[in-house]
Amino acid sequence: MDERGLRGLIDQVKAGRLSRRGFVKRMAMVGLTAPLATQLLAYAGVAMAQPKRPTYKPTRRGGGGLLKVLWWQAPTLLNPHFATGTKDQDGSRLFYEPLAGWDADGNLRPILAEAIPGREDGTLAADGKSVTWKLKKGVTWHDGKPFTADDCVFTWQYARNPETSAVTSGSYKDVEVEKVDDHTVTVKFPKPTPFWADTFVAAAGCIIPRHLFADYIGAKSREAPTNLKPVGTGPYMFKDFKPGDMVTGAINPNYHQANKPHFDAIEMKGGGDAVSAARAVLQTGEYDFAWNLQVEDEILQRLEKGGKGKVTITPGGGIEHIQINFTDPWTEIDGERSKLGTRHSTLQYPEVRRALALLVDKDSVQKYIYGRTGIAVPNFINYPERFASKTTTYEFNVDKANEILDKAGWKKGADGVREKDGKKLKFVYQTSINQPRQKTQAIVKQACQKAGIDIEVKAVTAAVFFSSDVANPDTYPHFYSDLQMYNNGPQQPDPEVFLRQFLSTEVSAKANKWQGRNITRWSSPEYDETHKAAQVELDPLKRAALLIKCNEMAVNDHVVIPVVARPGVAGTKDKLICELTGWDNNTWQLADWYRET
């Protein structure tokens, strides 16, 4: 379908000659996902549909007993603005809430907002330079203080302050937030902003209480007692927290949604591994829910036969990938390795990165490890499909890798390892301790040996690798190795924010407490300009082309090597009803979880 045909369909929806559902179906026929179809309509000024919530059956608050959930990578802190890993975001979301979140179909759903802004009532400006949020009235923090627009303004001030070093700063630093009245705020953008649903939305959008954090903004941000003892507006009130082990909460008797939550208390248990977590839900039924089951599909299918639960697969943008370090991880300068301005001795050369990409056997990783839970892909951005490049390709070819290195002058030494100008192709390849990841490492290591590249595999305990501890050198944002692998993905049905991780302004460094999104430390003026153009392009088709180009630049320069696209994989106990989405936290609608009788 060309641009003219697409615009014609959108005009039909505007005129009422074509239903929203009909439009979404037509888009699905040409490869566009429902979230993208929804976003196209929103960009074009068509009122966003009010998403239908799944039927919630409980007729009173409480009575559901204890909800036991397993996050085998346990949270290490409970401040959503310091949460570098999904586990800390999910743990924080037990207590904190944003103004809105994304459902599985890519629709925005109000949480602390009264409604979703739209052009029809003027709350979403036609010029793309402002959005006005009306807040729910009668919402209170867990300590009884009222939730107001002042808390939103403060959250913006807190997250954008460079000395706070919030991982969410990219969602706040370039906007202005103004209080209109006690229950209305306006977010103003310095330029037309097509993706306006970022500030105060989803994982990065959780609001924190001004009265408890006001004394801990900026340089004192890590000293706040509330970092470990949260006071939010969510369905559960903080009870206890043992970092790396257990988070517990009690029902919020004053929660702002009627008859919710269903469960009287929640216990989020950490530790163990993905296999033991899957077994505890699918086979023994000891727990109600298990997060992130990165387990070989053959094992999952066997455990499902236990009859206590099922595997739930949720489409999303997750991508298991290998990152290339463009800086020197082995030389310390001013207390910092992988420092911006240094250059990696061998990975700086394009032919070395290209050879490495040819030595990742993605098809075998899918076939022998992930199965239905990981699909071999060429792109870093794969979903929504409208943003997936159609020109990128991948192949596994040891012979071609050898040929490339030979031509570039990398010769094999007596030990079989290639070298040039006294520099050897020897790399430390790290990831978290997890059976599929160690098996993936083994597949890559074996292929690299055949090409004269020596790989030392390193496996870091997941609780450490994904920790938000700025003092720990083994966390993935430090990236003190040559190569590293993990999974992440856009938490909105739009990749603009996710693709900020390749901006030169987002480099992870000591100065920002390693909270920057750019962990590879790759820098490209062309990428920066392309991404900058996408940020202000209101035409949805032109904007998609710019974001696709961003993906292509990162993939074709082998900044990252995509391995498999990973949907969300969770284990749910029979009779547990929970709504999951690939575009937000697992705990985004925790208030709606219930157990059927």
Side-chain angles (χ1 to χ4, degrees), residues 127-195:
D127 63 3
K129 297 183 72 171
S130 70
V131 58
T132 297
W133 292 91
K134 296 185 181 298
L135 314 182
K136 290 182 73 171
K137 298 179 176 65
V139 179
T140 59
W141 296 101
H142 293 156
D143 61 4
K145 302 288 186 181
F147 162 71
T148 70
D150 291 327
D151 297 302
C152 295
V153 173
F154 172 76
T155 298
W156 161 67
Q157 294 170 334
Y158 176 93
R160 77 194 302 252
N161 187 318
E163 292 188 340
T164 300
S165 295
V167 72
T168 57
S169 62
S171 299
Y172 295 88
K173 62 185 179 66
D174 296 325
V175 305
E176 296 291 324
V177 176
E178 294 181 359
K179 174 183 175 181
V180 178
D181 57 43
D182 282 348
H183 293 92
T184 311
V185 293
T186 295
V187 180
K188 294 186 175 181
F189 308 106
K191 53 198 173 186
T193 301
F195 189 66

Side-chain angles (χ1 to χ4, degrees), residues 302-317:
R302 187 166 68 245
L303 291 175
E304 280 183 298
K305 293 178 181 178
K308 297 295 179 67
K310 63 181 180 181
V311 171
T312 300
I313 297 177
T314 308

Side-chain angles (χ1 to χ4, degrees), residues 344 346 415 417-418 424-428 453-455 482:
H344 195 284
T346 55
D415 57 0
V417 179
R418 291 182 182 272
K424 285 183 172 288
L425 296 188
K426 301 184 74 169
F427 304 120
V428 174
I453 298 175
D454 183 59
I455 296 289
D482 305 295

Side-chain angles (χ1 to χ4, degrees), residues 178-250:
E178 294 181 359
K179 174 183 175 181
V180 178
D181 57 43
D182 282 348
H183 293 92
T184 311
V185 293
T186 295
V187 180
K188 294 186 175 181
F189 308 106
K191 53 198 173 186
T193 301
F195 189 66
W196 51 268
D198 181 22
T199 307
F200 301 135
V201 174
C206 288
I207 315 298
I208 58 174
R210 178 180 180 276
H211 64 284
L212 295 177
F213 282 96
D215 292 335
Y216 299 96
I217 193 171
K220 296 179 65 178
S221 63
R222 293 309 194 277
E223 301 172 18
T226 323
N227 288 339
L228 298 176
K229 296 181 179 180
V231 175
T233 58
Y236 296 98
M237 301 172 64
F238 175 79
K239 184 177 180 182
D240 193 28
F241 179 39
K242 295 180 175 62
D245 178 26
M246 180 87 78
V247 183
T248 57

Side-chain angles (χ1 to χ4, degrees), residues 294-489:
Q294 190 175 5
V295 178
E296 293 159 84
D297 197 26
E298 179 185 355
I299 295 175
L300 289 176
Q301 292 182 51
R302 187 166 68 245
L303 291 175
E304 280 183 298
K305 293 178 181 178
K308 297 295 179 67
K310 63 181 180 181
V311 171
T312 300
I313 297 177
T314 308
I319 178 72
E320 187 80 9
H321 66 286
I322 298 170
Q323 294 180 337
I324 306 293
N325 198 336
F326 278 70
T327 53
D328 180 1
W330 308 115
T331 302
E332 184 172 307
I333 301 173
D334 299 328
E336 181 178 10
R337 288 151 55 190
S338 292
K339 186 176 179 65
L340 186 65
T342 64
R343 300 182 72 186
H344 195 284
S345 61
T346 55
L347 290 172
Q348 64 176 292
Y349 299 110
E351 70 270 13
V352 176
R353 302 196 300 274
R354 185 181 174 201
L356 282 170
L358 288 164
L359 295 169
V360 178
D361 189 355
K362 304 179 186 184
D363 291 332
S364 290
V365 172
Q366 176 184 340
K367 182 177 180 181
Y368 298 111
I369 301 175
Y370 285 96
R372 60 187 164 151
T373 69
I375 310 302
V377 290
N379 285 307
F380 193 58
I381 300 295
N382 296 281
Y383 301 101
E385 291 179 14
R386 178 169 173 265
F387 292 108
S389 172
K390 302 299 188 294
T391 65
T392 53
T393 59
Y394 73 87
E395 66 174 315
F396 172 64
N397 194 321
V398 177
D399 291 339
K400 186 180 287 188
N402 273 308
E403 181 182 346
I404 289 170
L405 294 172
D406 284 338
K407 287 183 177 179
W410 294 92
K411 304 299 182 183
K412 290 184 179 179
D415 57 0
V417 179
R418 291 182 182 272
E419 64 177 291
K420 179 181 177 181
D421 300 330
K423 302 170 183 176
K424 285 183 172 288
L425 296 188
K426 301 184 74 169
F427 304 120
V428 174
Y429 170 21
Q430 72 176 15
T431 189
S432 62
I433 294 176
N434 174 283
Q435 194 171 36
R437 288 197 171 128
Q438 270 67 76
K439 289 194 172 185
T440 301
Q441 282 181 313
I443 288 173
V444 175
K445 178 182 173 73
Q446 184 179 44
C448 284
Q449 275 183 321
K450 296 176 181 178
I453 298 175
D454 183 59
I455 296 289
E456 176 189 338
V457 296
K458 178 182 178 181
V460 182
T461 303
V464 172
F465 190 67
F466 295 106
S467 170
S468 300
D469 181 2
V470 298
N472 195 317
D474 282 328
T475 67
Y476 76 91
H478 282 78
F479 198 0
Y480 285 176
S481 67
D482 305 295
L483 312 170
Q484 70 177 1
M485 178 175 67
Y486 59 96
N487 171 73
N488 67 349

